[in-house]
């Protein structure tokens, strides 16, 4: 079983330190409410921040999520 709250805390720490992959996954955690309350606008902020590194995954995810919301 996955402990989403512990995972969220670890991912958030890495994201705050500027790890682009962690910023991306933090955005997804926040979007889906895994380990924290769901918050679409905060999720987009973290995914946008990670997008500065132009990885295919976060660029694709951001476009897809914006079409939904």
């Amino acid at each position: 079983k996955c402990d989403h709250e512990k995972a969220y805390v670890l991912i958030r720490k890495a994201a705050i330190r500027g790890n682009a992959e962690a910023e991306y996954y933090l955005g997804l955690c926040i979007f889906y409410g895994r380990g924290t309350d769901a918050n679409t606008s905060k999720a987009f902020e973290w995914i946008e921040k990670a997008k500065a590194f132009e990885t295919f995954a976060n660029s694709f995810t951001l476009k897809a999520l914006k079409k939904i919301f």
Side-chain angles (χ1 to χ4, degrees):
K1 181 180 172 184
C2 181
D3 186 339
H4 290 125
E5 289 179 11
K6 284 184 182 178
Y8 172 80
V9 169
L10 294 173
I11 292 168
R12 188 173 184 279
K13 284 181 183 180
I16 289 170
R17 291 186 183 122
N19 181 296
E21 187 174 5
E23 292 170 346
Y24 170 74
Y25 284 112
L26 181 62
L28 292 182
C29 287
I30 295 169
F31 182 82
Y32 290 110
R34 304 287 189 206
T36 188
D37 294 331
N39 183 318
T40 305
S41 62
K42 283 187 179 182
F44 286 152
E45 287 176 26
W46 281 105
I47 293 171
E48 269 295 342
K49 196 172 195 177
K51 188 177 180 246
F53 294 90
E54 289 302 322
T55 63
F56 172 77
N58 64 23
S59 179
F60 175 79
T61 301
L62 187 61
K63 288 177 188 174
L65 293 176
K66 283 188 175 179
K67 284 182 183 180
I68 296 169
F69 295 93

